Short mmCIF file of all heavy atoms in Angstrom, two decimals:
data_model
loop_
_atom_site.label_atom_id
_atom_site.label_comp_id
_atom_site.label_asym_id
_atom_site.label_seq_id
_atom_site.Cartn_x
_atom_site.Cartn_y
_atom_site.Cartn_z
N LEU A 1 122.81 285.78 244.60
CA LEU A 1 122.96 284.91 245.76
C LEU A 1 121.81 285.28 246.76
O LEU A 1 121.28 286.38 246.80
CB LEU A 1 124.29 285.15 246.55
CG LEU A 1 125.46 284.64 245.75
CD1 LEU A 1 126.78 285.27 246.33
CD2 LEU A 1 125.58 283.18 245.78
N PRO A 2 121.44 284.27 247.60
CA PRO A 2 120.32 284.57 248.54
C PRO A 2 120.79 285.66 249.55
O PRO A 2 122.01 285.80 249.94
CB PRO A 2 120.22 283.23 249.36
CG PRO A 2 120.85 282.17 248.42
CD PRO A 2 121.91 282.88 247.67
N LYS A 3 119.83 286.59 249.90
CA LYS A 3 120.12 287.55 250.85
C LYS A 3 120.27 286.95 252.30
O LYS A 3 119.72 285.96 252.54
CB LYS A 3 118.98 288.62 250.90
CG LYS A 3 118.97 289.40 249.56
CD LYS A 3 117.84 290.43 249.59
CE LYS A 3 117.86 291.19 248.31
NZ LYS A 3 116.76 292.23 248.29
N ALA A 4 121.08 287.75 253.13
CA ALA A 4 121.41 287.28 254.46
C ALA A 4 120.15 287.48 255.35
O ALA A 4 119.32 288.22 255.09
CB ALA A 4 122.48 288.07 255.01
N LEU A 5 120.04 286.55 256.26
CA LEU A 5 118.86 286.73 257.22
C LEU A 5 119.13 287.97 258.08
O LEU A 5 120.28 288.26 258.42
CB LEU A 5 118.80 285.51 258.20
CG LEU A 5 118.21 284.21 257.62
CD1 LEU A 5 118.44 283.09 258.52
CD2 LEU A 5 116.76 284.42 257.20
N PRO A 6 118.06 288.66 258.51
CA PRO A 6 118.29 289.88 259.29
C PRO A 6 118.61 289.58 260.75
O PRO A 6 118.86 290.41 261.52
CB PRO A 6 116.82 290.52 259.27
CG PRO A 6 115.92 289.45 259.00
CD PRO A 6 116.69 288.49 258.15
N VAL A 7 118.61 288.29 261.16
CA VAL A 7 119.03 287.84 262.48
C VAL A 7 119.91 286.70 262.36
O VAL A 7 119.97 286.01 261.36
CB VAL A 7 117.77 287.51 263.32
CG1 VAL A 7 116.92 288.63 263.60
CG2 VAL A 7 117.05 286.32 262.75
N ASP A 8 120.76 286.47 263.37
CA ASP A 8 121.60 285.39 263.42
C ASP A 8 120.99 284.19 264.04
O ASP A 8 120.60 284.23 265.26
CB ASP A 8 122.87 285.77 264.08
CG ASP A 8 123.76 286.77 263.40
OD1 ASP A 8 123.70 286.71 262.14
OD2 ASP A 8 124.33 287.65 263.97
N LEU A 9 120.79 283.09 263.36
CA LEU A 9 120.21 281.88 263.85
C LEU A 9 121.34 280.85 264.06
O LEU A 9 122.30 280.92 263.42
CB LEU A 9 119.14 281.33 262.93
CG LEU A 9 117.82 282.10 262.82
CD1 LEU A 9 116.99 281.51 261.76
CD2 LEU A 9 117.09 282.14 264.13
N PRO A 10 121.16 280.00 264.97
CA PRO A 10 122.24 278.94 265.12
C PRO A 10 122.42 278.09 263.88
O PRO A 10 121.47 277.84 263.21
CB PRO A 10 121.60 278.06 266.31
CG PRO A 10 120.67 278.91 266.95
CD PRO A 10 120.08 279.81 265.96
N ASP A 11 123.65 277.78 263.64
CA ASP A 11 124.04 277.02 262.42
C ASP A 11 123.94 275.58 262.85
O ASP A 11 124.61 275.12 263.75
CB ASP A 11 125.43 277.42 262.00
CG ASP A 11 125.85 276.66 260.68
OD1 ASP A 11 125.15 275.69 260.31
OD2 ASP A 11 126.84 277.09 260.16
N PRO A 12 123.02 274.76 262.07
CA PRO A 12 122.96 273.28 262.46
C PRO A 12 124.27 272.57 262.28
O PRO A 12 124.47 271.48 262.87
CB PRO A 12 121.92 272.81 261.47
CG PRO A 12 121.87 273.75 260.34
CD PRO A 12 122.18 275.08 260.95
N GLU A 13 125.28 273.14 261.53
CA GLU A 13 126.51 272.48 261.35
C GLU A 13 127.39 272.63 262.57
O GLU A 13 128.54 272.12 262.71
CB GLU A 13 127.27 272.99 260.11
CG GLU A 13 126.58 272.46 258.79
CD GLU A 13 126.56 270.91 258.72
OE1 GLU A 13 127.52 270.31 259.06
OE2 GLU A 13 125.50 270.45 258.43
N ARG A 14 126.90 273.48 263.54
CA ARG A 14 127.74 273.71 264.73
C ARG A 14 127.16 273.05 265.98
O ARG A 14 127.42 273.54 267.07
CB ARG A 14 127.88 275.26 265.00
CG ARG A 14 128.58 275.96 263.75
CD ARG A 14 128.49 277.39 263.81
NE ARG A 14 129.46 277.85 264.73
CZ ARG A 14 129.75 279.19 264.81
NH1 ARG A 14 129.27 280.10 263.96
NH2 ARG A 14 130.67 279.66 265.70
N ARG A 15 126.37 272.03 265.74
CA ARG A 15 125.69 271.39 266.87
C ARG A 15 126.69 270.69 267.77
O ARG A 15 126.50 270.64 269.01
CB ARG A 15 124.69 270.33 266.33
CG ARG A 15 123.55 270.95 265.64
CD ARG A 15 122.58 269.84 265.17
NE ARG A 15 121.52 270.31 264.43
CZ ARG A 15 120.53 269.67 263.99
NH1 ARG A 15 120.55 268.29 264.12
NH2 ARG A 15 119.49 270.18 263.23
N GLN A 16 127.80 270.16 267.19
CA GLN A 16 128.69 269.38 268.01
C GLN A 16 130.05 270.07 268.01
O GLN A 16 130.50 270.69 267.02
CB GLN A 16 128.91 267.95 267.40
CG GLN A 16 127.62 267.21 267.25
CD GLN A 16 127.10 266.76 268.64
OE1 GLN A 16 127.89 266.62 269.58
NE2 GLN A 16 125.81 266.54 268.71
N ASP A 17 130.70 270.01 269.14
CA ASP A 17 132.08 270.59 269.30
C ASP A 17 132.21 271.99 268.74
O ASP A 17 132.92 272.18 267.84
CB ASP A 17 133.03 269.65 268.62
CG ASP A 17 134.51 269.74 269.12
OD1 ASP A 17 134.62 270.68 270.00
OD2 ASP A 17 135.38 269.10 268.68
N PHE A 18 131.52 272.88 269.39
CA PHE A 18 131.45 274.25 268.92
C PHE A 18 132.86 274.87 268.94
O PHE A 18 133.23 275.56 267.93
CB PHE A 18 130.59 275.16 269.80
CG PHE A 18 130.64 276.58 269.45
CD1 PHE A 18 129.85 277.08 268.47
CD2 PHE A 18 131.44 277.46 270.23
CE1 PHE A 18 129.94 278.46 268.16
CE2 PHE A 18 131.52 278.81 269.89
CZ PHE A 18 130.73 279.26 268.92
N SER A 19 133.67 274.60 269.89
CA SER A 19 135.04 275.26 270.00
C SER A 19 135.91 274.81 268.87
O SER A 19 136.60 275.67 268.29
CB SER A 19 135.67 274.96 271.33
OG SER A 19 135.89 273.56 271.47
N THR A 20 135.87 273.61 268.50
CA THR A 20 136.65 273.17 267.37
C THR A 20 136.21 273.74 266.07
O THR A 20 136.98 274.20 265.22
CB THR A 20 136.68 271.60 267.28
OG1 THR A 20 137.24 270.99 268.50
CG2 THR A 20 137.52 271.11 266.05
N ARG A 21 134.91 273.65 265.83
CA ARG A 21 134.34 274.30 264.63
C ARG A 21 134.74 275.81 264.60
O ARG A 21 135.02 276.34 263.50
CB ARG A 21 132.85 274.10 264.57
CG ARG A 21 132.46 272.67 264.38
CD ARG A 21 131.00 272.56 264.44
NE ARG A 21 130.53 271.16 264.27
CZ ARG A 21 130.41 270.54 263.15
NH1 ARG A 21 130.61 271.18 262.02
NH2 ARG A 21 130.07 269.27 263.08
N LYS A 22 134.66 276.48 265.72
CA LYS A 22 135.00 277.89 265.76
C LYS A 22 136.36 278.16 265.32
O LYS A 22 136.66 279.05 264.60
CB LYS A 22 134.69 278.40 267.10
CG LYS A 22 134.93 279.95 267.31
CD LYS A 22 133.78 280.68 266.51
CE LYS A 22 133.74 282.17 266.89
NZ LYS A 22 135.04 282.91 266.83
N ARG A 23 137.28 277.32 265.85
CA ARG A 23 138.73 277.49 265.52
C ARG A 23 138.94 277.34 263.98
O ARG A 23 139.66 278.01 263.31
CB ARG A 23 139.61 276.54 266.27
CG ARG A 23 139.79 276.98 267.68
CD ARG A 23 140.94 276.16 268.41
NE ARG A 23 140.63 274.75 268.40
CZ ARG A 23 141.30 273.87 267.71
NH1 ARG A 23 142.27 274.26 266.92
NH2 ARG A 23 141.01 272.53 267.74
N VAL A 24 138.28 276.33 263.41
CA VAL A 24 138.41 276.02 261.99
C VAL A 24 137.86 277.20 261.18
O VAL A 24 138.39 277.66 260.19
CB VAL A 24 137.78 274.71 261.61
CG1 VAL A 24 137.74 274.55 260.07
CG2 VAL A 24 138.36 273.53 262.22
N GLU A 25 136.72 277.69 261.59
CA GLU A 25 136.06 278.81 260.88
C GLU A 25 136.88 280.02 261.01
O GLU A 25 137.02 280.81 259.99
CB GLU A 25 134.68 279.01 261.50
CG GLU A 25 133.72 277.99 261.18
CD GLU A 25 132.39 278.05 261.87
OE1 GLU A 25 132.25 279.11 262.58
OE2 GLU A 25 131.48 277.19 261.72
N ASP A 26 137.51 280.34 262.18
CA ASP A 26 138.32 281.49 262.30
C ASP A 26 139.55 281.40 261.50
O ASP A 26 139.99 282.43 260.89
CB ASP A 26 138.71 281.72 263.76
CG ASP A 26 137.54 282.16 264.62
OD1 ASP A 26 136.56 282.63 264.08
OD2 ASP A 26 137.69 282.04 265.87
N SER A 27 140.19 280.24 261.35
CA SER A 27 141.38 280.10 260.58
C SER A 27 141.01 280.26 259.10
O SER A 27 141.74 280.83 258.32
CB SER A 27 142.04 278.73 260.83
OG SER A 27 141.25 277.77 260.34
N TRP A 28 139.86 279.74 258.67
CA TRP A 28 139.40 279.95 257.33
C TRP A 28 139.10 281.45 257.05
O TRP A 28 139.43 281.90 255.94
CB TRP A 28 138.16 279.11 257.01
CG TRP A 28 137.56 279.56 255.66
CD1 TRP A 28 136.31 280.13 255.52
CD2 TRP A 28 138.11 279.39 254.37
NE1 TRP A 28 136.13 280.33 254.15
CE2 TRP A 28 137.28 280.00 253.48
CE3 TRP A 28 139.32 278.99 253.91
CZ2 TRP A 28 137.43 279.98 252.12
CZ3 TRP A 28 139.57 279.07 252.52
CH2 TRP A 28 138.71 279.64 251.72
N THR A 29 138.49 282.12 258.01
CA THR A 29 138.18 283.48 257.80
C THR A 29 139.50 284.38 257.52
O THR A 29 139.51 285.16 256.62
CB THR A 29 137.49 284.07 259.05
OG1 THR A 29 136.21 283.46 259.21
CG2 THR A 29 137.14 285.63 258.88
N ASP A 30 140.53 284.07 258.34
CA ASP A 30 141.78 284.66 258.09
C ASP A 30 142.32 284.37 256.68
O ASP A 30 142.89 285.32 255.98
CB ASP A 30 142.82 284.32 259.11
CG ASP A 30 142.44 284.75 260.52
OD1 ASP A 30 141.63 285.71 260.62
OD2 ASP A 30 142.95 284.22 261.48
N LEU A 31 142.23 283.16 256.26
CA LEU A 31 142.74 282.75 254.97
C LEU A 31 141.98 283.45 253.91
O LEU A 31 142.41 283.93 252.86
CB LEU A 31 142.69 281.22 254.85
CG LEU A 31 143.11 280.64 253.51
CD1 LEU A 31 144.47 281.08 253.14
CD2 LEU A 31 143.07 279.09 253.60
N ARG A 32 140.63 283.44 254.07
CA ARG A 32 139.66 284.05 253.09
C ARG A 32 139.98 285.50 252.99
O ARG A 32 139.83 286.04 251.79
CB ARG A 32 138.29 283.81 253.60
CG ARG A 32 137.16 284.39 252.71
CD ARG A 32 137.17 283.75 251.39
NE ARG A 32 135.94 284.12 250.66
CZ ARG A 32 135.62 285.29 250.25
NH1 ARG A 32 136.48 286.24 250.33
NH2 ARG A 32 134.48 285.53 249.57
N ALA A 33 140.30 286.24 253.97
CA ALA A 33 140.57 287.65 253.93
C ALA A 33 141.83 287.93 253.07
O ALA A 33 141.84 288.87 252.25
CB ALA A 33 140.82 288.22 255.35
N GLU A 34 142.78 287.00 253.07
CA GLU A 34 143.90 287.12 252.28
C GLU A 34 143.65 287.03 250.80
O GLU A 34 144.33 287.42 249.94
CB GLU A 34 145.04 286.18 252.64
CG GLU A 34 145.63 286.37 254.06
CD GLU A 34 146.42 287.61 254.18
OE1 GLU A 34 147.04 288.05 253.13
OE2 GLU A 34 146.54 288.24 255.18
#
């Protein structure tokens, strides 16, 4: 797999409605951890 970037750049998929995307991502992170 590609290696991670050494810095965090903005994700173009989060251009719109950051708060909603963040909630979806957080809920997926919890599910992914399980």
Side-chain angles (χ1 to χ4, degrees):
L1 289 167
K3 293 182 178 179
L5 286 172
V7 295
D8 292 325
L9 292 174
D11 185 343
E13 288 303 315
R14 299 169 78 167
R15 292 181 183 180
Q16 302 291 333
D17 200 358
F18 174 82
S19 62
T20 298
R21 290 177 183 274
K22 184 70 165 57
R23 285 193 300 109
V24 173
E25 288 171 6
D26 286 346
S27 68
W28 166 247
T29 298
D30 292 343
L31 178 56
R32 176 66 166 71
E34 294 291 331

